[in-house]
Every structure is written in structure tokens, then in C-alpha cells.
Amino acid sequence: MSQGSWARRRFRTGRRFSTLTAQILLASLSLLLFTVALGGFLFSMVSNQTLDQQYQLRALGIATTTAQMAEIRSALPAGDPDHVINGIARQVMTAARPDYVVVTDTEGTRFSHPDPSLIGRRLEEPVAVLDGQTHVGFDPGSLGRSANAKAPVFGADGSVIGQVSVGIEDTQVLSNQLQNIWLITGFSALVLALGVAGSLLLSRRIKRVTFDLEPAEIASLLQEREALLHGIREAVVGLDDHGKVTVINEEARRLLHLEGEALGKPIADLLPHGRLRDLLAGGLPGADQVALTDDALLVVNRMPVSTAGRSIGSVVTLRDRTEIESLVRDLHSIQGLMEAMRALEHEYANRLHIVDGLLEMGDLEQAKRYVSQVSAMSRSLGERLRATIAPPELAALLLAKVAVAAEQDVQMEVTEDSRLEHPEVDHAELVTIVGNLLDNAVDALANTPRPRVVTVQFDDADGVFIAVRDNGPGVPADKIDQVMVDGYSTKDSRPGMRRGIGLALVSRIVRRAGGTLDVFPGPGGNFEVWLPAKTQATVDDRSARVD
């Protein structure tokens, strides 16, 4: 079942009224309606003001032009005896199409008017142009409200002798305003239609990106993801197709030693170059891959993730197997000791049978000589190791390894010149290094012709020098850099124990101690380790760390 179908089942109730499409459409329409209404209102105000100004200026132009006509300037002082002013006013109304042209003298007596009955009568309001200036505005007038302009008529001496009042009734203004309103309405309807179409396309795009999940479903999945991510003990790292971290929990931060912000950063910028970074970035294939850090053995799994047929990155899980691997190795060591004891048991049983046979035959002298010979052989190696190898755990390890090697028909020898009387290094690290190198050497001699010999040499003249050599095939020259990489092994895996850890573990211990590990090409295996002597401060610091 896909994430989308699984999550959708939980939000059937009320979904019709809370879908993402409905929310986007409602929000877009509300915003568009508010914007269009506000824009239409502002446009109407500006348009009305512009139209008012245009009609006032138009009226002013007609009034100014009429006031400058010579016929009017000559007829007005004489009282217009020939009644030419009204005729001129009508001609102007016919040509310029104002609603009225009224010419008065300085007393307000009309000489022209659309209503002939008002000619000769005085204005209800005073003459406004006596100051010699033009005036514009809206005038209620006798014919109704109109955009009005008044211009003075000047006589020959430059004095004001009359007034020309031109008006354009409000009905013309309203007619033009209605045309603008219809234009605004049509434009608003187009904008709303485009907004609805855009909202639907946007919602489809968002739902495609969110895999058809609704906001409540996304929030629920996010909460569950956070609870799951930070509630498990395994380390989890999510990466996108470009190798950038998209998800990481606290356990992953602890194991990878990441501090600060990691989300959105490439994994290559967060981890140093090495096997662990290659595993997380997908540079190395396979599942359950082993990687060693400075203080942990990690098992790494990287799985690609795809949804709806397209890749969205990968998920990497990391498990800390340090303690388990240590217990498994301890168990195998104990098992090796038991095999050594079993081998010694068989050997001593055979020797007892020989002694018993000699006694049965009555050959007491031969029996004494055989017992003395066996006792001397048994004491010689143990006494020599105790005399030359000071750490008791290392001497015991060497005795056990000699017995185990003998059981596998491998002769293991500690060179006569070996000395390790005062090793100023950590004894546990020393045991780990020697044990792994000897195990690898014995394993390398499997299926090789006899004699099979492994030699180990110690020297503590300057720090601690360890050399383990065998007469097997050795390490090919082109594989020297690979044998110390964690996870690399040419041998078959053993049940319950991972291969490719021994030399990598030795390399890590040596590197942390500031020493060197040299691997020489075959034929014949040759591994040399040098560890510097530690000061007391270094020893105290090392004991405080968790391996």
C-alpha cells in the first residue's frame, strides 16, 4: 500500500471541505475579489476625477474661445441690440457640443441661454469673473448639475465687461463613467477566471508534488516520521539524489560525530574521505557492509528509495556492532583456546599411553627418560616466553596460538632474539594486534604445501616492534593498499563473525597510537608494526577513552 493511499484512509471525514484544492481556490478567490474590488474602487475614483477634470478643461476651452470672439466683445458693451450673442452661443453649442453657453454682462444679465425665456434675466449667483480670472467647477445651475467653466470677456480697455459660462451636464460624465465601470467589470471577471484556472493548476501541481496528500495528512505523516526517526535506536540518514542530507537522527549524529547543522549539506562535506563516506554516498555497493571509525564498528545498509517510479534518494541505516563484534571475537578466542586444550589433551593422552606401555613392559628406565624429555619440552617454550615476554596476557596468547597452529599443522615460532620486557604501550592493544596478525598468518597457510611456518618477532629497544612472517603466498603487490581497508577479505566468511575486520582493526589501533604498519608484497607474508612508547599523560588519556 502506498503512503498516499494509507494516509488518505485516515482523513475521509470532512475531507470534502478541507481539501487542498478547495483551500487554495477559496484563498485565491478571496484575495482576488478583495484585490479586484479595491482596484475597481480606486480606478473608479481616479477615473471619475480624471473625467471631471477633462470635462472642466473642455468647458474652459470653449468658454475662453467664446469670450475672445470679437462679435461678443463688441456687442456686449452696447447691450447686444441686434441679438447676435445668442446666435453665436448656439453656433458654439452646435460645434463644440456643450450643454449650454451663457453670456452675461457684469451685472449678471443673460444675453444667451438654451432656454430663451431666461434671456434678459439675471443670474441667481453673482458674476464670478470680476477678478479677471477663469473659474472651473461643478455648478448646480438652472439646467442641473454640470461641469462648468467661466471665462471673463474683456473690453477694448482691458476691463471685464462680461462673462461666458459653459457647462457640460453631469449626464455625459456619468455616461463615460458607466463605460469605464463596464470595462472594469469585464477586466475583473477575466482576472477572476484566470485566477480560478491558475489556482486549479497550482493545486494540481502541489498535489502531484505531495503525492496527492492533503495538508492534514502531510502534517500527520511528518509527526509520525519525527516520532519514528528519533524514537529508534538505529542510526538513520536520508539522502537525496544529489547526496545531500535530508533526514538524520541523533543516533546517526553520535555515530558519525556530526555537530552543527547537517541538513541540506552534501555527505562529502560532512565526513572525511574513506570507506564510511563511500558507503553512505553509494560509491560502494552491497548490503551489511562493515566500516570502522575511530571508536566503533558500524554495519552500513544503503537502500535506494523511489516513489511513483521516480527516485527520490536513498536511506542509510547504521548499526553499532562494536560490543557484539568484540563478544564474538572473544568467543572465537575462547573457542580457539578450547581447541588448543583439546589438542593438548590428545597429545598428553598419547604420551600417557606411551608411558603406560613402557611401564607394562617393565622398562622403567626408558619410561623415566621419556617423561623427563616430555617435561623438558613442555617447560622450554613456556619458560622462554615468560622470560622474554613481560606482559602475561601476551605470553599466554602466544602459547595458545602455538597450540592452535600445531593443531592445523602449522609451526609457529617466536624468534630467539625476541624481547618485550618493558613495553610502554597498552597491553590490550598489543594483544589485539598480535592476535589478529597471527590469525591472518595461520589462515593464509591453509591449503599450502608443507612445511607451514609462522614466525613472530618482538623488540622494545625503541617503542615496540612486532613482525609476523609466514611462508605462504603473501600479499600481491597490487592489493597492499586494500588489505587494510575495513570489509576487504579474500577468505570465506565464518558463521557469526564478519571478515575483513582484523587488519583494519590493527591499522586503526596503530594509527591512533601514532605508529606505523608496513605490509610487504609476497611471496611470503610480512607484516611489521611499530608503536611509539607512550608517556604517562598519553596512557591516562587513552584509558579514559572508550574503545
Side-chain angles (χ1 to χ4, degrees), residues 217-512:
E217 299 170 348
I218 296 174
S220 177
L221 286 177
L222 179 61
Q223 293 174 352
E224 293 172 359
R225 190 202 73 165
E226 290 298 313
L228 178 64
L229 184 65
H230 298 287
I232 60 176
R233 288 289 299 169
E234 279 195 354
V236 178
V237 181
L239 305 171
D240 62 12
D241 288 331
H242 302 290
K244 294 182 179 180
V245 177
T246 57
V247 173
I248 187 168
N249 63 358
E250 295 303 321
E251 183 67 8
R253 288 179 175 274
R254 183 185 70 84
L255 294 180
L256 299 177
H257 302 289
L258 296 180
E259 297 180 358
E261 185 61 39
L263 294 178
K265 295 183 178 180
I267 196 68
D269 296 344
L270 299 174
L271 298 178
H273 178 73
R275 177 178 172 82
L276 180 59
R277 191 178 79 177
D278 293 340
L279 286 173
L280 265 68
L284 296 176
D288 284 343
Q289 293 293 314
V290 176
L292 277 174
T293 64
D294 286 342
D295 55 2
L297 184 149
L298 305 179
V299 178
V300 182
N301 276 291
R302 185 179 187 275
M303 296 295 294
V305 179
S306 60
T307 303
R310 60 187 177 93
S311 173
I312 60 173
S314 58
V315 174
V316 181
T317 60
L318 303 99
R319 287 172 288 165
D320 188 357
R321 294 293 298 269
T322 307
E323 296 182 358
I324 297 177
E325 195 69 23
S326 176
L327 291 174
V328 171
R329 289 186 172 273
D330 290 343
L331 180 60
H332 279 274
S333 298
I334 294 173
Q335 185 178 358
L337 291 174
M338 294 178 62
E339 291 177 355
M341 294 176 64
R342 186 163 52 251
L344 292 174
E345 178 188 2
H346 292 166
E347 183 178 355
Y348 282 117
N350 291 333
R351 291 173 180 177
L352 288 174
H353 290 156
I354 294 174
V355 172
D356 181 62
L358 291 173
L359 293 176
E360 287 289 338
M361 294 169 56
D363 194 346
L364 297 180
E365 292 299 327
Q366 184 62 32
K368 290 179 181 180
R369 286 195 297 271
Y370 181 74
V371 171
S372 298
Q373 180 183 358
V374 169
S375 177
M377 291 174 57
S378 300
R379 286 196 306 269
S380 60
L381 178 60
E383 290 176 353
R384 184 165 67 86
L385 289 178
R386 284 194 295 272
T388 57
I389 307 300
E393 57 268 46
L394 182 59
L397 174 70
L398 291 172
L399 280 174
K401 294 298 183 183
V402 168
V404 173
E407 180 73 9
Q408 301 180 31
D409 198 15
V410 175
Q411 181 182 353
M412 184 178 294
E413 300 175 350
V414 179
T415 60
E416 295 292 338
D417 60 345
S418 291
R419 292 290 184 275
L420 203 60
E421 297 177 353
H422 302 288
E424 296 181 356
V425 296
D426 189 275
H427 292 180
E429 292 182 350
L430 202 59
V431 169
T432 300
I433 292 172
V434 174
N436 280 288
L437 291 179
L438 291 179
D439 287 341
N440 286 342
V442 173
D443 290 342
L445 294 177
N447 302 321
T448 60
R450 295 182 181 88
R452 304 167 184 164
V453 180
V454 176
T455 61
V456 57
Q457 178 185 1
F458 298 96
D459 186 10
D460 61 355
D462 179 19
V464 173
F465 173 79
I466 306 168
V468 176
R469 304 178 179 93
D470 63 71
N471 62 342
V475 179
D478 59 341
K479 300 293 185 182
I480 288 180
D481 293 334
Q482 300 182 31
V483 295
M484 289 182 288
V485 175
D486 38 330
Y488 177 83
S489 179
T490 59
K491 295 173 282 190
D492 296 333
S493 61
R494 289 177 286 182
M497 188 173 182
R498 300 181 183 277
R499 289 288 192 181
I501 301 299
L503 282 179
L505 187 61
V506 171
S507 176
R508 186 189 75 175
I509 294 174
V510 172
R511 183 178 67 253
R512 285 168 51 182

Side-chain angles (χ1 to χ4, degrees), residues 167-226:
I168 301 174
E169 290 186 4
D170 205 18
T171 55
Q172 294 188 31
V173 179
L174 291 175
S175 177
N176 286 328
Q177 289 177 349
L178 288 175
Q179 292 179 5
N180 290 334
I181 291 174
W182 280 113
L183 179 63
I184 295 172
T185 303
F187 177 76
S188 301
L190 178 61
V191 169
L192 288 175
L194 292 176
V196 171
S199 300
L200 293 175
L201 291 176
L202 177 62
S203 64
R204 289 184 59 186
R205 171 63 179 169
I206 293 176
K207 289 183 70 76
R208 187 182 302 114
V209 172
T210 58
F211 304 102
D212 203 29
L213 294 176
E214 297 297 338
E217 299 170 348
I218 296 174
S220 177
L221 286 177
L222 179 61
Q223 293 174 352
E224 293 172 359
R225 190 202 73 165
E226 290 298 313

